[in-house]
Amino acid sequence: MKRRKFIGRTALAAITSALGSEIVFGNTLPDGYTLLGLQDPDPFSMFNKDSGMVLLNDRPWNMEAQAHLLDDKVTPNKYIFIRNNGLVPENIDVDNWTLTIDGESVVSSKTYTLAELKSKFQQHTYQLTLECGGNGRSEYNPPAKGNQWTIGAVYCAEWTGVRLRDVLEDAGIRNDAVYIGYHAIDEHLSRDPEKEPISRGAPMAKALQDETLLAFKMNGEDIPLVHGHPLRLVAGGWPASVSGKWVQRISVRNKEHDGPKMTGDAYRVPCNPVAPGEKVSEKDMCIIESMPVKSLITYPKTGAIISEGKKLNIRGHAWAGELEVSKMEYSIDFGATWKVCTIEKPANRLAWQHFSAQVSFPKKGYYEIWSRATDSQGTAQPMLIPGWNPKGYLNNACQRIAIKVG
Ligand SMILES: Nc1nc2c(c(=O)[nH]1)N[C@H]1C(S)=C(S)[C@@H](COP(=O)(O)O)O[C@H]1N2
Ligand SMILES: [Mo]
């Protein structure tokens, strides 16, 4: 019989300090055993998420909402999707947090403490829609690698912070500035300190918009850790990957930013349509900028059963990247005919808009309700999946819910 191997003294001392409490029977602890108390708690309680959220990955943490959970006009934290490329930082030293503006095209590098950012610059609050560029990826065929998002990688929260423009102007921008790129503190999955999990950015025109914020509050409170506490770049209407969490440095570049996930096929789509599965060379791929027009029915939940003769009030949200949604329609006959929904104006530019309609059904039976938004330039959502692309981005197909009348 093999003797049970117990833990050594040094290892015991190390885990005792990690646990923060004496391990009473520590001398009989088997070697290599991970204490329950040191295992990750379940992500729903760790990140304060609703149990209806769907976990897609635990390393890194990725979690999405379901359509009916996104019913609020301003999305509460518990229904906000989580997307990480690396490890969520631990032990953030908020008191000593600084933001540095640097890069080839800054007049002089400048570092600000959080307190300086808050007191020196005017604060602004906007509702901003953030959607992962890969939202809807699960429907592409041939399938694309990556998180298989369905429809839940989108939200509209209220962000408070200072304008990136004000801070950049304070540091001074040179005439040759073309792009900004963010650098954050999250570690690469490999824990290699030389590697950043993601460092994206935006052209100066987007960086200088009124609504592009360096935010420290989400929905009136400190930003939750997993969403970028204590400082986050927020650029509504563009792929949410532009909105760097845990930002520590913004570089003003004299060329397109070239950090991880800015180059190759990351967050890029073929500049011209390609056949599904076709190989696309790097030079034919273009960076995703404004997200396309899209909508989501958030009430009722798909699968609802209603009684015959009753009208059904449906509602949801629609958004269109940099543009506004100017028309919202629904269909109960698989897109053969469309009826108009009421659509509200956005709370501010780049916030999603709320729609509603009262739907009548001619008789008992199975129906689907499809929703279709049209942006201010006349582009409508495609009824079925849009152009295939190698990484499965930008699926803005009409959303469908099933209803039984009976
Ligand atoms: N520092 C950092 N910022 C990041 C990411 C990341 O992994 N690290 N992921 C990006 C991507 S791809 C998305 S979709 C959004 C997700 O934001 P959320 O977790 O608040 O939903 O954050 C972006 N900002
Ligand atoms: Mo993303």
Side-chain angles (χ1 to χ4, degrees):
M1 204 178 78
K2 247 185 153 181
R3 260 197 60 148
R4 206 167 96 147
K5 218 175 148 237
F6 297 114
I7 192 169
R9 267 165 169 261
T10 344
L12 181 60
I15 61 168
T16 302
S17 82
L19 194 68
S21 155
E22 183 195 352
I23 304 161
V24 177
F25 293 109
N27 60 335
T28 59
L29 199 62
D31 194 26
Y33 176 79
T34 309
L35 293 174
L36 291 176
L38 286 179
Q39 288 177 11
D40 280 328
D42 88 272
F44 301 91
S45 53
M46 183 162 65
F47 300 125
N48 291 315
K49 298 297 174 182
D50 187 84
S51 59
M53 298 288 284
V54 180
L55 188 67
L56 298 186
N57 196 355
D58 63 353
R59 200 186 149 84
W61 290 113
N62 289 299
M63 192 188 269
E64 73 169 330
Q66 302 182 62
H68 67 280
L69 299 178
L70 293 170
D71 195 39
D72 297 84
K73 292 193 165 180
V74 174
T75 317
N77 177 48
K78 62 182 173 182
Y79 302 133
I80 292 179
F81 82 94
I82 295 174
R83 164 65 170 133
N84 293 301
N85 291 267
L87 303 167
V88 178
E90 292 163 20
N91 311 319
I92 285 181
D93 185 357
V94 182
D95 295 335
N96 294 308
W97 189 276
T98 56
L99 174 80
T100 299
I101 306 292
D102 66 3
E104 306 95 0
S105 297
V106 78
V107 172
S108 59
S109 284
K110 214 162 165 180
T111 297
Y112 305 84
T113 63
L114 269 184
E116 277 166 352
L117 284 180
K118 289 181 188 173
S119 61
K120 196 166 173 166
F121 303 101
Q122 203 191 328
Q123 298 186 16
H124 300 268
T125 299
Y126 298 106
Q127 290 178 20
L128 299 166
T129 309
L130 293 186
E131 179 177 19
C132 179
N135 197 20
R137 173 177 293 139
S138 64
E139 286 184 68
Y140 281 105
N141 208 355
K145 284 206 201 97
N147 285 292
Q148 296 301 301
W149 305 109
T150 63
I151 45 183
V154 61
Y155 65 107
C156 183
E158 188 186 82
W159 296 92
T160 302
V162 298
R163 287 187 173 136
L164 175 61
R165 182 181 65 219
D166 291 348
V167 181
L168 293 181
E169 281 173 357
D170 185 70
I173 317 166
R174 287 190 202 277
N175 286 337
D176 63 352
V178 292
Y179 231 86
I180 60 107
Y182 66 77
H183 298 278
I185 65 153
D186 46 336
E187 275 183 285
H188 192 268
L189 290 176
S190 65
R191 291 203 184 270
D192 178 346
E194 300 296 308
K195 285 190 181 163
E196 285 176 295
I198 187 168
S199 167
R200 302 202 68 237
M204 290 316 289
K206 181 64 180 168
L208 299 179
Q209 277 183 1
D210 283 0
E211 301 83 5
T212 301
L213 297 180
L214 284 163
F216 32 79
K217 281 193 166 174
M218 189 188 89
N219 296 343
E221 292 172 3
D222 282 351
I223 301 175
L225 173 66
V226 77
H227 297 296
H229 178 74
L231 194 67
R232 179 174 195 173
L233 175 66
V234 190
W238 284 40
S241 52
V242 175
S243 296
K245 308 194 266 191
W246 316 290
V247 267
Q248 224 182 13
R249 193 154 64 87
I250 304 264
S251 300
V252 188
R253 309 294 315 265
N254 61 5
K255 57 174 186 183
E256 204 170 87
H257 183 55
D258 52 1
K261 311 239 161 150
M262 268 311 305
T263 54
D265 54 8
Y267 300 100
R268 289 180 191 232
V269 290
C271 307
N272 297 302
V274 299
E278 198 176 311
K279 276 233 162 358
V280 190
S281 69
E282 224 177 292
K283 65 169 196 348
D284 295 326
M285 297 285 277
C286 287
I287 301 178
I288 303 169
E289 299 199 328
S290 176
M291 292 292 285
V293 63
K294 199 161 171 181
S295 61
L296 201 57
I297 304 168
T298 58
Y299 184 88
K301 186 178 171 176
T302 187
I305 300 174
I306 64 161
S307 33
E308 200 187 350
K310 269 210 161 164
K311 289 186 164 147
L312 175 68
N313 291 311
I314 62 164
R315 61 173 182 257
H317 319 290
W319 60 97
E322 284 287 320
L323 303 175
E324 229 177 79
V325 174
S326 50
K327 188 163 78 175
M328 188 65 218
E329 298 159 295
Y330 72 91
S331 172
I332 57 168
D333 54 11
F334 306 105
T337 62
W338 295 86
K339 291 204 166 88
V340 193
C341 302
T342 307
I343 177 111
E344 292 175 22
K345 280 275 173 198
N348 50 257
R349 221 176 70 79
L350 312 180
W352 66 16
Q353 296 165 245
H354 317 297
F355 68 84
S356 57
Q358 197 173 57
V359 183
S360 310
F361 301 95
K363 59 183 200 173
K364 276 191 193 172
Y366 174 88
Y367 296 87
E368 286 186 10
I369 306 180
W370 295 10
S371 80
R372 180 171 76 179
T374 303
D375 70 27
S376 48
Q377 290 179 350
T379 305
Q381 289 183 255
M383 274 190 263
L384 300 170
I385 196 127
W388 181 92
N389 62 88
K391 298 274 277 192
Y393 296 122
L394 305 183
N395 178 2
N396 67 333
C398 289
Q399 187 218 356
R400 294 155 283 166
I401 62 167
I403 297 292
K404 239 181 193 169
V405 178

